[in-house]
């Protein structure tokens, strides 16, 4: 990479045309990321090009590179996703680049366990990539095809986990979290309206994500169905009270009874659907409801782990999910089947120690379970086959020795 970078720098010193200048700087940046260079320096090179209009026709590749560098530097997923979205927005005639950007978006959403958005991104990647774009095209097709099977348990895991986290906070912390969420949601609505009215066509095509409530954790109240249900419940109890923040109430005026008529804007209509903080606070589970949420969380974790193993053949995430399940719910109701799957994963990974541990624990703690019986029968058959092979080897050895002795004695 060093010699390649040196050559590109020499070409830049000759003040080449814009396209050659861009490609030289792009390769210098990617050499830094791929080799032993400094990804931070690569970020500076690409970021500088975003401020130079002469490179605008290449912004799709520039922002894609910035997204890759953000991943390499371990930046928050939001930074990488933002760059990939900008790459898609500026990609007007480069289908391959647009497909690669969608592919990386899918990978980021996949890491965040946001399987619905991951599937959507992989589907889009498959539309713009071709079979010649390997391995990205194949991966996008495979993941899009199976993500539906783990999207449901994945969503339940995120939603129930956010509720459990909220339930563990004090009341002031819960209300502060809800207030911040509502403010973020109002800002998102305002930004979305502005973008729809003012952005160029290619910018309008990019999707904007609902805010996640602060630290990137999934927010249960992003579920529009729940939000609408909460708004209806609040109106039934308290009447048709305006639920807008102070700066928005000033737009509505006084004495109109909250009707607004035909003068209500699309943005105000969206804001009017935001539930009152008290409604969201009341939706946080407690007591028996919290126990039900924890049960749903444990069951969804188990189904998600199974989905990783059986549908995605992703052993690493399957084990991580089962580890989380064990740490949170060591006495969960599917422990026997979990040990069975862990045993299968260990066998695939040629980890005899882990396989023996799972087998012993399964036979000791769940001897009458279907999963213990399956492994026991399998091991018995394997042992019988081994014994038969040993017997055949012994017979073959005896036959060889007998034949050899006859040959030595010239008993042809």
């Amino acid at each position: 990479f060093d010699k390649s970078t040196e050559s590109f720098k020499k070409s830049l010193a000759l003040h080449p045309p814009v396209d050659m200048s861009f490609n030289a700087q792009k390769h210098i940046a990617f050499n830094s990321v791929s080799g032993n260079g400094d990804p931070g320096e690569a970020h500076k090179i690409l970021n500088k090009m975003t401020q130079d209009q002469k490179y605008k026709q290449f912004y799709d590749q520039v922002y894609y590179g910035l997204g890759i560098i953000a991943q390499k530097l371990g930046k928050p997923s939001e930074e990488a996703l933002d760059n990939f979205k900008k790459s898609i927005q500026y990609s007007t005639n480069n289908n391959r680049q647009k497909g690669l950007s969608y592919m990386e978006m899918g990978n980021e959403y996949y890491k965040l366990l946001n399987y619905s958005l991951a599937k959507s991104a992989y589907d889009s990647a498959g539309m713009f990539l071709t079979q010649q774009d390997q391995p990205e095209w194949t991966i996008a097709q495979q993941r899009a095809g199976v993500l539906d099977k783990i999207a449901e348990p994945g969503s339940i895991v995120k939603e129930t986990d956010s509720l459990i986290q909220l339930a563990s906070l004090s009341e002031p912390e819960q209300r502060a979290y809800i207030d911040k969420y509502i403010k973020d949601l109002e800002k998102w609505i305002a930004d979305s309206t502005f973008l729809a009215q003012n952005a160029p066509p290619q910018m309008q095509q990019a999707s904007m994500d609902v805010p996640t409530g602060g630290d990137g954790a999934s927010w249960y109240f992003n579920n529009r169905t729940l939000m609408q249900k909460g708004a209806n419940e609040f109106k039934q109890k308290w009447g048709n009270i305006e639920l807008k923040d102070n700066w928005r109430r000033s737009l509505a005026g006084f004495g109109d009874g909250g009707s607004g008529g035909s003068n209500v804007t699309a943005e105000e209509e969206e804001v009017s659907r935001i539930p009152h903080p008290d409604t969201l606070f009341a939706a946080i589970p407690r007591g028996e409801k919290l126990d039900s949420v924890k049960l749903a969380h444990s069951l969804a974790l188990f189904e998600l782990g199974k989905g990783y193993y059986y549908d995605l053949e992703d052993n690493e995430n399957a084990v991580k999910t089962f580890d989380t399940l064990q740490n949170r719910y060591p006495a969960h109701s599917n422990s026997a089947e979990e040990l069975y799957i862990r045993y299968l994963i260990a066998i695939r990974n040629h980890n005899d120690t882990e396989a023996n541990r799972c087998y012993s624990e399964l036979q000791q703690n769940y001897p009458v379970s279907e999963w213990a019986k399956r492994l026991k029968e399998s091991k018995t058959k394997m042992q019988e086959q081994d014994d038969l092979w040993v017997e055949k080897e012994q017979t073959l050895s005896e036959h060889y020795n007998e034949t050899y002795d006859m040959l030595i004695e010239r008993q042809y």
Side-chain angles (χ1 to χ4, degrees), residues 122-187:
Y122 286 134
D123 282 338
S124 298
M127 290 173 59
F128 291 103
L129 295 174
T130 67
Q131 292 188 25
Q132 283 68 45
D133 300 314
Q134 296 294 347
E136 290 84 6
W137 184 85
T138 298
I139 294 173
Q141 295 290 330
Q142 290 176 341
R143 288 191 171 178
V146 299
L147 275 176
D148 274 340
K149 299 179 181 179
I150 62 172
E152 183 177 355
S155 297
I156 295 174
V157 165
K158 287 175 32 176
E159 291 179 358
T160 52
D161 190 56
S162 68
L163 279 176
I164 293 168
Q165 291 181 32
L166 278 172
S168 69
L169 301 177
S170 64
E171 180 174 340
E173 290 173 324
Q174 291 171 344
R175 291 193 176 278
Y177 213 124
I178 290 172
D179 288 343
K180 185 179 185 307
Y181 165 73
I182 291 178
K183 285 186 171 68
D184 287 345
L185 186 56
E186 287 180 333
K187 182 179 183 302

Side-chain angles (χ1 to χ4, degrees), residues 48-246:
K48 186 177 180 180
M49 283 196 281
T50 66
Q51 302 168 29
D52 193 334
Q53 286 294 308
K54 71 181 180 184
Y55 295 116
K56 188 173 182 179
Q57 60 181 311
F58 305 111
Y59 277 0
D60 56 346
Q61 297 179 60
V62 172
Y63 281 111
Y64 174 77
L66 287 171
I68 296 296
I69 291 170
Q71 292 175 325
K72 293 282 186 181
L73 292 174
K75 298 286 187 179
S77 291
E78 288 76 10
E79 181 173 333
L81 287 169
D82 183 58
N83 283 306
F84 293 135
K85 289 175 185 177
K86 288 179 179 177
S87 171
I88 292 167
Q89 292 162 8
Y90 283 107
S91 183
T92 57
N93 56 8
N94 189 342
N95 283 347
R96 183 176 187 279
Q97 181 56 69
K98 184 174 286 190
L100 291 174
S101 296
Y102 271 122
M103 179 71 189
E104 291 300 331
M105 279 182 62
N107 291 340
E108 281 300 312
Y109 284 130
Y110 183 85
K111 288 194 296 186
L112 293 172
L113 307 185
N114 194 331
Y115 300 115
S116 58
L117 288 180
K119 175 175 168 49
S120 177
Y122 286 134
D123 282 338
S124 298
M127 290 173 59
F128 291 103
L129 295 174
T130 67
Q131 292 188 25
Q132 283 68 45
D133 300 314
Q134 296 294 347
E136 290 84 6
W137 184 85
T138 298
I139 294 173
Q141 295 290 330
Q142 290 176 341
R143 288 191 171 178
V146 299
L147 275 176
D148 274 340
K149 299 179 181 179
I150 62 172
E152 183 177 355
S155 297
I156 295 174
V157 165
K158 287 175 32 176
E159 291 179 358
T160 52
D161 190 56
S162 68
L163 279 176
I164 293 168
Q165 291 181 32
L166 278 172
S168 69
L169 301 177
S170 64
E171 180 174 340
E173 290 173 324
Q174 291 171 344
R175 291 193 176 278
Y177 213 124
I178 290 172
D179 288 343
K180 185 179 185 307
Y181 165 73
I182 291 178
K183 285 186 171 68
D184 287 345
L185 186 56
E186 287 180 333
K187 182 179 183 302
W188 175 79
I189 291 172
D191 290 344
S192 298
T193 304
F194 178 83
L195 180 64
Q197 294 174 350
N198 299 281
Q202 67 266 30
M203 297 285 283
Q204 294 179 15
Q205 292 174 3
S207 62
M208 294 184 64
D209 296 327
V210 177
T212 55
D215 58 1
S218 172
W219 184 255
Y220 182 64
F221 303 125
N222 280 350
N223 187 315
R224 288 299 184 94
T225 302
L226 175 66
M227 287 170 58
Q228 188 60 53
K229 178 182 177 182
N232 293 338
E233 291 175 351
F234 186 83
K235 288 178 181 179
Q236 289 176 5
K237 184 173 182 180
W238 301 103
N240 192 23
I241 300 175
E242 287 291 330
L243 303 178
K244 301 176 183 178
D245 205 354
N246 291 336

